[in-house]
Amino acid sequence: MGRFIIACAFLSGHLGIFLICLGLLSIEGSNAVEIRRLSVPRWIKNGTEDAVVLDCEYGYTENDIRLVVKWFFEDNLVPVYQWIPALNKKHASEMLKDRLDLNFSVNTNDAYLKFRALKILKPTTELSGKYTCLVTSLAGQDSKEQVMTVFVPAHEFELGYMETNYNTVNVSCETLGVFPYPNMRLYLRPSSGSPPQAVTDIKTRSVRRPSGSYDVLLHRTFMINELSSKGDVVFECILELPGTNYFQSKRIAYFPGIQGPQLEAPYGLSSNSPGTWILTENFNILYVIINVVLHFFKKQLYDT
């Protein structure tokens, strides 16, 4: 069968013979190239690694004539890396140009395995996404994929509330400078021992920075009597970054009727101590102005 495959390789310029070869080779699929393990880091903290290795371990047989290894990013049809062992040729796309160590090889003396892996230098957030390894030969092909996320932890994560003269309580949870776009949830934890209640009807505002990271603000207004009926109440905000194990949680107790401003933290919202803000009859306008000004100073300080 091996000699027949070699003959097919030489006669592949004839379409009819080539199609017959493919049909016969498919019968030998169990003897074709097979990816045994794909090693791609699931998550990496941005700026913490000098390099990461994405490896595509495969087995091949004598049937695998014209073997080619290709790596794809997301659903792009053009590979970001290609290696043809028989020709000893490697090529990286513009996306990974100057980001790959093209001299890197896995620890093997096998000329058909040594340059199968990617060594990406200083991975950053724009390299987050799905990576697919495709290994092909005249005998068959195999592919596997895995998502890698280069994440940025929260620069700031704050939870607070404002009690107004309109018998309402405004709860805000904010995170600054995270990547990817976060999952954020707000909960009420009554002292009665009942399970936490997920807060619905939340308003969300978000901004994407030039760096690609996100600022996200959750906001919800409650009636004071609505909260008083639950006894002592604790607000909790959960922050998660999809595709990673990154998790943060902050809680703040609500004490109805406590007077006096608590705008102590430079960013306006503090979860280190209970905070209640009493505003005047022009609350709606003032609240918007305060948040705009605070957000501006946050952004200026963070960008510097």
Side-chain angles (χ1 to χ4, degrees):
M1 186 65 182
R3 292 180 179 177
F4 177 75
I5 295 171
I6 294 174
C8 283
F10 281 107
L11 294 173
S12 61
H14 190 286
L15 180 60
I17 295 177
F18 181 67
L19 292 176
I20 293 173
C21 285
L22 287 181
L24 292 174
L25 288 174
S26 64
I27 299 175
E28 291 286 316
S30 59
N31 294 322
V33 64
E34 179 184 10
I35 296 177
R36 294 169 178 167
R37 186 163 73 101
L38 184 66
S39 301
V40 175
R42 291 184 178 272
W43 58 80
I44 305 165
K45 184 179 178 181
N46 188 63
T48 61
E49 301 290 339
D50 289 333
V52 293
V53 174
L54 284 60
D55 196 4
C56 184
E57 300 179 29
Y58 56 85
Y60 68 95
T61 71
E62 62 177 4
N63 298 334
D64 291 305
I65 307 299
R66 296 187 180 179
L67 189 142
V68 180
V69 178
K70 298 180 181 181
W71 282 87
F72 296 87
F73 179 71
E74 296 290 73
D75 295 318
N76 296 325
L77 299 179
V78 178
V80 293
Y81 173 75
Q82 178 174 285
W83 173 48
I84 305 175
L87 301 178
N88 195 27
K89 293 184 64 175
K90 292 170 284 184
H91 175 73
S93 71
E94 285 297 319
M95 172 189 160
L96 291 182
K97 188 177 181 181
D98 301 324
R99 304 294 297 269
L100 279 184
D101 180 355
L102 291 175
N103 294 318
F104 174 77
S105 65
V106 294
N107 187 19
T108 177
N109 294 322
D110 192 324
Y112 278 74
L113 294 176
K114 62 187 305 182
F115 293 117
R116 71 193 182 205
L118 303 180
K119 184 177 181 181
I120 301 177
L121 306 176
K122 298 185 182 301
T124 46
T125 56
E126 68 270 18
L127 297 182
S128 295
K130 180 178 67 178
Y131 289 83
T132 302
C133 175
L134 171 66
V135 186
T136 65
S137 74
L138 291 182
Q141 67 177 35
D142 197 10
S143 68
K144 289 187 183 299
E145 62 185 41
Q146 173 64 48
V147 173
M148 180 178 76
T149 301
V150 184
F151 73 93
V152 180
H155 180 72
E156 292 287 340
F157 179 46
E158 303 293 344
L159 172 65
Y161 67 84
M162 293 182 180
E163 186 177 272
T164 80
N165 285 338
Y166 295 94
N167 296 318
T168 61
V169 178
N170 295 277
V171 182
S172 297
C173 181
E174 183 179 46
T175 184
L176 296 179
V178 297
F179 183 89
Y181 191 90
N183 289 329
M184 294 176 65
R185 301 183 300 277
L186 190 62
Y187 291 92
L188 274 176
R189 290 183 168 271
S191 62
S192 59
S194 57
Q197 303 171 11
V199 176
T200 58
D201 299 326
I202 293 176
K203 296 180 180 179
T204 303
R205 298 176 183 175
S206 63
V207 175
R208 186 165 191 180
R209 297 176 176 271
S211 64
S213 63
Y214 295 92
D215 298 345
V216 181
L217 172 71
L218 302 186
H219 171 72
R220 172 69 151 81
T221 299
F222 297 87
M223 298 301 297
I224 290 180
N225 57 10
E226 174 188 358
L227 297 176
S228 300
S229 64
K230 301 178 184 295
D232 295 335
V233 169
V234 173
F235 298 115
E236 181 179 24
C237 189
I238 302 292
L239 168 65
E240 295 175 310
L241 296 182
T244 76
N245 64 345
Y246 184 84
F247 172 91
Q248 281 204 57
S249 172
K250 287 204 170 183
R251 298 181 184 180
I252 186 170
Y254 167 62
F255 299 98
I258 292 183
Q259 302 297 318
Q262 297 289 328
L263 294 174
E264 300 171 356
Y267 295 121
L269 296 176
S270 173
S271 61
N272 297 324
S273 60
T276 302
W277 290 263
I278 307 300
L279 300 181
T280 63
E281 58 185 6
N282 293 319
F283 166 76
N284 286 328
I285 296 175
L286 184 59
Y287 180 74
V288 171
I289 294 174
I290 289 174
N291 275 278
V292 169
V293 172
L294 291 175
H295 186 78
F296 173 78
F297 282 109
K298 284 184 191 180
K299 187 176 188 302
Q300 293 299 312
L301 182 60
Y302 176 67
D303 287 341
T304 58

